[in-house]
Amino acid sequence: MTEILHLAEALLPEGFARNVKLTVAEGVITAVETDTAPGAGRSFKGLALPGMPNLHSHAFQRGMAGLSEGRGAPEDSFWTWREVMYRFLDRLDPEDVQAIAAQAFVEMLEGGFTALAEFHYLHHDKDGRAYANIARMAEAIAAAAEEAGLGLTLLPVLYRFGNFGQAPSVHGQRRFVNDRDAYLRLLEGSAAAIRSLPDARLGVAPHSLRAVALDDLGWVASLRPDDPVHIHVAEQVPEVEASLKITGKRPVELLMDTIPLDRRWCLIHATHLSDAERDGIARSGAVAGLCPITESSLGDGIFDGVRFHAAGGALGVGSDSNIQIDAGAELRQLEYSQRLRDRRRALFAEEKASTGLALWQAACAGGAQACGRAIGRIAPGCRADFITLETEHPAIVGKSGAEALDSAIFAANALPLRDVVVGGRRVVAEGRHVARDSVRARFAGVMRRLLAAA
Ligand SMILES: [Zn+2]
């Protein structure tokens, strides 16, 4: 089916344009014309931007957002947070995960994300046994993405060990752990789970250098040679210290010495880098998968985004723990982290150019690469995934182009959205997801039950 969509103003790869006419067939843009008169077809007011890919999430963690803000003793860190996470997920059934994921995915769409790379590591039942279908949890994620209408790249995670040096996994990790044979079955089941989704992609993900053996890295990457490979790396200083102690190398150094990084790879966090590691990632073409809100929440540290970006490094953003979900807020936090460190302003922008525009375009390009899908641009050959900003919103009114985009990111509490379109289908209208009420009601029921049992 071919359809015509008219956009009042849109950010195209070559810049902002007015009166843009998109021809869309089977969810894909086949032609883009500018300065056209509105005619037959659906019209969209406001400023249209390519939808932001969310390159990293653990959907179930939406259900524990806010539960770990009390201080542990004697001090709180990523590692105490991880204990809260392990206890929360002890209670989750596949139906709970689907309800929580659907809520997270609706919020992603209402927050400007039109595609997701889900880093999926919660596989087994409460006792750590595989479900009859080992990919049962992957089915729950796929079903939630289908319900919400979110573009999906599913990354089933290989998790084998508890720490560096192939230490045995601990009780809290029993729902994650697979050996290689089980992982092959999981991958097969995951491929089946996403088959009915439009344009979904399957990739692979060794969880971290802590959780796999070094020779697993090349093995996992070889299983789907044309698809994305994501890994958590160098998020925490103790992780860097443990890596140095046990292997004699820093995490990213170890990774780069073990396997050739390329454009298929997405390094999640990559917070703690030497200059050589930072420039090595940039040269490799791999994406730095930044999660600025979660990294702030967990006290991880500050990624050297300015110098990485200047070295031509590819980057994108992910909502990771889903403690807060908004594409604009992730970019704002990324920029602000650099300002606080360097005590300067507008650090991602080219000279005399817009910070918001530089960030939006960089994160769309890096996010699309990390998702392994033709998304992130309003251009022929790409999925018709876009959002429109409410240009009557107080933060934007009277502005257009880059000024409007800067204001949406830096002067509104959350992205002021009108519509969100994924694969040509409108899933958010006037800022509300079409299934918001039913998804929220089911989520509320699940949360009340889970928290009452806590
Ligand atoms: Zn993560």
Side-chain angles (χ1 to χ4, degrees):
M1 189 185 85
T2 300
E3 205 191 356
I4 302 296
L5 308 182
H6 292 278
L7 312 178
E9 186 183 5
L11 174 59
L12 305 180
E14 50 279 7
F16 291 96
R18 289 189 179 276
N19 299 314
V20 175
K21 179 176 149 189
L22 305 183
T23 307
V24 176
E26 308 298 335
V28 177
I29 300 170
T30 56
V32 180
E33 295 165 65
T34 57
D35 300 315
T36 60
R42 281 187 291 163
S43 289
F44 292 85
K45 294 180 185 163
L47 169 59
L49 305 170
M52 181 62 65
N54 181 353
L55 58 62
H56 189 70
S57 149
H58 313 287
F60 74 85
Q61 292 180 12
R62 183 62 184 144
M64 53 173 282
L67 290 180
S68 63
E69 300 302 325
R71 182 161 160 185
E75 57 181 32
D76 213 279
S77 71
F78 169 88
W79 309 99
T80 44
W81 171 86
R82 199 175 74 160
E83 287 305 315
V84 173
M85 190 261 283
Y86 285 178
R87 284 200 300 277
F88 178 76
L89 62 74
D90 278 355
R91 306 169 207 155
L92 299 177
D93 288 326
E95 293 73 22
D96 301 332
V97 168
Q98 184 176 336
I100 295 168
Q103 175 62 32
F105 296 170
V106 161
E107 292 184 77
M108 286 177 196
L109 287 157
E110 291 183 345
F113 292 114
T114 48
L116 169 68
E118 174 70 10
F119 196 101
H120 171 62
Y121 64 87
L122 177 58
H123 304 306
H124 304 316
D125 73 11
K126 292 167 187 172
D127 299 317
R129 284 189 302 252
Y131 290 103
N133 172 2
I134 193 170
R136 177 68 191 89
M137 282 292 193
E139 285 183 342
I141 297 295
E146 192 159 23
E147 269 188 279
L150 182 67
L152 182 66
T153 299
L154 183 62
L155 303 165
V157 170
L158 176 65
Y159 203 116
R160 293 184 64 196
F161 304 107
N163 213 333
F164 284 100
Q166 305 185 25
S169 58
V170 299
H171 181 74
Q173 295 161 337
R174 68 196 179 283
R175 304 190 73 175
F176 318 155
V177 174
N178 284 301
D179 61 20
R180 285 189 179 190
D181 285 345
Y183 187 73
L184 290 174
R185 293 197 301 279
L186 174 67
L187 213 49
E188 206 176 307
S190 299
I194 63 168
R195 204 158 284 150
S196 67
L197 268 68
D199 194 49
R201 186 101 183 236
L202 186 67
V204 292
H207 178 273
S208 58
L209 294 168
R210 298 190 303 272
V212 301
L214 287 181
D215 63 6
D216 288 328
L217 295 169
W219 179 77
V220 178
S222 73
L223 295 175
R224 297 189 64 87
D226 299 320
D227 294 309
V229 190
H230 290 219
I231 185 169
H232 289 127
V233 71
E235 177 178 9
Q236 286 280 323
V237 169
E239 175 192 339
V240 177
E241 289 166 349
S243 178
L244 277 168
K245 188 169 163 210
I246 291 163
T247 73
K249 292 178 183 172
R250 302 171 55 82
V252 169
E253 180 188 14
L254 179 63
L255 186 63
M256 290 194 293
D257 285 355
T258 306
I259 36 103
L261 293 183
D262 58 26
R263 290 173 52 83
R264 290 171 63 205
W265 284 80
C266 179
L267 276 48
I268 303 302
H269 308 301
T271 308
H272 300 284
L273 303 176
S274 67
D275 290 355
E277 288 174 312
R278 182 194 65 217
D279 295 343
I281 300 171
R283 265 196 312 277
S284 74
V287 179
L290 311 177
C291 309
I293 292 174
T294 295
E295 288 153 8
S296 303
S297 166
L298 296 179
D300 286 341
I302 300 174
F303 176 80
D304 191 357
V306 175
R307 273 159 288 268
F308 183 75
H309 185 58
L315 61 84
V317 291
S319 61
D320 194 0
S321 68
N322 295 312
I323 189 164
Q324 189 191 353
I325 301 175
D326 186 81
E330 293 289 356
L331 297 177
R332 183 169 65 231
Q333 184 63 26
L334 172 58
E335 168 72 21
Y336 281 177
S337 67
Q338 311 293 302
R339 293 186 190 187
L340 287 165
R341 183 195 58 207
D342 294 352
R343 288 175 274 168
R344 291 172 53 207
R345 302 190 71 251
L347 284 158
F348 276 95
E350 305 286 331
E351 203 174 318
K352 298 207 163 54
S354 151
T355 304
L357 180 58
L359 284 167
W360 198 273
Q361 289 184 313
C364 276
Q369 183 183 324
C371 289
R373 300 178 58 229
I375 52 176
R377 297 186 311 145
I378 300 176
C382 290
R383 299 287 297 176
D385 291 3
F386 62 88
I387 66 173
T388 62
L389 297 178
E390 174 55 83
T391 39
E392 293 304 307
H393 186 278
I396 307 185
V397 68
K399 303 167 188 168
S400 65
E403 263 183 9
L405 177 51
D406 277 334
S407 302
I409 295 171
F410 293 102
N413 293 329
L415 280 180
L417 291 187
R418 284 182 67 91
D419 298 309
V420 176
V421 172
V422 181
R425 180 179 154 227
R426 175 156 36 191
V427 293
V428 172
E430 302 294 330
R432 287 179 69 90
H433 190 280
V434 293
R436 181 199 273 187
D437 293 341
S438 57
V439 166
R440 192 182 277 191
R442 185 177 46 156
F443 173 75
V446 166
M447 288 305 298
R448 286 201 185 92
R449 202 193 75 240
L450 289 172
L451 294 173

